Amino acid sequence: VYLATLGGYYQLDEESAISGGLRYFSLGSIQFTDYAGSITSTGRPREFSLDFGYSRKLSEKIGLGVALRYINSSLANGYNNNGVTYKAGNAIAADLSLYGNGLDDDGQGLTYGISISNLGTKIGYTNDAQAKDYIPANLGLGLAYTFAFEEAHKFTLALDLNHLLVPAFPGYTGDVTQDSIAVVEYRSGSVLSSWTKSFGNKANTASLGAEYTYNDQFSLRAGYFLQPKSQGGQSYFTAGVGLKYNTFGFNFSYLAPSGNGVTRNPLSNTIRFGVLFDIGESSE
């Protein structure tokens, strides 16, 4: 099981740039079973997306970005279940983002961002046009304020809020007929209407972070991610350090869970290392 990403950008001029990216996710080899648990076949679920973006500086303080994305999701391609053959799902999506930079010459001030991502078509894995689902569109809002004092010291507080732009799936009542009608009505809704209906789903998350930096070389970081219990309750704490010297940088972080059992985040107790090299940095 692995996730691979590749990205790059090219600056067209002082005001604009284009970018591209590839993300690939493999779930390795799995076994398909019937209702009795007997193995029927094997498969290799995988997904990938291709991105193309354009960003432009609207002023000295504000920038705008747009991106288009092709998504291919092959979760059970070729698998046959009760006469239904599954195929790879395909979708097209777009992102729109706005960034504001209010930092002064000392690096102090407010920065903020607004991002609407994965606005796109539904995705399905069979030939049934009524069995398509919404892709996870998201509305994100973020802001950070940096305090700079005594030249060498900086302290930043940041807040990030996210809302899933997908309506809540209808709850089961036990009435098979009524539940079937509710699912059909849910899936027959338009993508545009789903964005407005999503504000009743309570699918909101929040992240709070803090960073202290000395002389732009040494950093201490801490954060907390909050996910409501109604959405899984997989909240967690993070802590990390960063070191940068000349063209070399190193980052370390640790993710500590705040729940247990089913509310324990899958990435709990994860240690992450990052190494950075600045290639071709100017003498200035």
Side-chain angles (χ1 to χ4, degrees):
V1 177
Y2 66 90
L3 173 68
T5 63
L6 177 67
Y9 71 91
Y10 178 77
Q11 188 170 344
L12 299 174
D13 50 42
E14 291 296 323
E15 308 295 334
S16 60
I18 56 175
S19 60
L22 167 68
R23 281 178 286 184
Y24 183 85
F25 179 47
S26 172
L27 280 168
S29 179
I30 68 169
Q31 296 174 333
F32 295 115
T33 64
D34 57 21
Y35 288 106
S38 300
I39 298 174
T40 58
S41 62
T42 60
R44 296 185 64 84
R46 56 193 181 276
E47 297 179 305
F48 73 87
S49 68
L50 292 171
D51 296 19
F52 176 78
Y54 174 78
S55 56
R56 185 166 185 85
K57 199 173 179 181
L58 301 181
S59 70
E60 289 300 317
K61 298 294 184 180
I62 298 177
L64 181 71
V66 294
L68 293 177
R69 176 176 303 109
Y70 166 69
I71 301 168
N72 180 281
S73 177
S74 180
L75 299 182
N77 193 24
Y79 176 61
N80 187 288
N81 182 38
N82 293 328
V84 177
T85 300
Y86 290 84
K87 63 178 185 178
N90 298 278
I92 301 294
D95 299 346
L96 178 65
S97 58
L98 177 73
Y99 175 72
N101 183 355
L103 299 178
D104 59 21
D105 293 338
D106 295 326
Q108 178 167 301
L110 179 71
T111 56
Y112 61 90
I114 303 172
S115 173
I116 305 176
S117 59
N118 269 341
L119 297 178
T121 60
K122 294 182 181 180
I123 193 168
Y125 298 91
T126 68
N127 291 322
D128 185 358
Q130 301 300 317
K132 292 187 175 183
D133 289 297
Y134 305 105
I135 61 176
N138 185 80
L139 170 63
L141 305 172
L143 57 89
Y145 193 89
T146 298
F147 302 88
F149 48 96
E150 295 183 3
E151 295 185 1
H153 304 276
K154 291 181 182 178
F155 180 73
T156 301
L157 285 174
L159 175 66
D160 187 47
L161 303 174
N162 283 276
H163 172 73
L164 184 65
L165 293 172
V166 176
F169 195 80
Y172 292 103
T173 64
D175 186 324
V176 177
T177 301
Q178 190 66 34
D179 289 343
S180 298
I181 293 175
V183 171
V184 170
E185 291 179 349
Y186 173 83
R187 285 179 164 164
S188 62
S190 68
V191 173
L192 289 176
S193 65
S194 72
W195 300 338
T196 56
K197 292 179 180 178
S198 72
F199 289 94
N201 63 14
K202 299 181 181 179
N204 305 307
T205 61
S207 302
L208 179 66
E211 179 188 63
Y212 164 74
T213 301
Y214 173 72
N215 205 31
D216 290 330
Q217 292 183 325
F218 176 74
S219 299
L220 291 174
R221 307 181 183 103
Y224 181 68
F225 171 78
L226 175 64
Q227 184 183 64
K229 290 184 178 180
S230 62
Q231 303 303 313
Q234 295 183 345
S235 303
Y236 57 83
F237 294 94
T238 61
V241 297
L243 179 65
K244 188 175 187 301
Y245 182 73
N246 291 334
T247 61
F248 173 79
F250 173 79
N251 289 292
F252 165 85
S253 68
Y254 176 73
L255 193 153
S258 63
N260 54 66
V262 295
T263 64
R264 189 182 178 102
N265 192 282
L267 295 178
S268 295
N269 301 321
T270 296
I271 297 175
R272 295 180 179 180
F273 298 94
V275 180
L276 177 109
F277 294 96
D278 286 339
I279 301 176
E281 188 178 67
S282 67
S283 59
E284 295 177 352

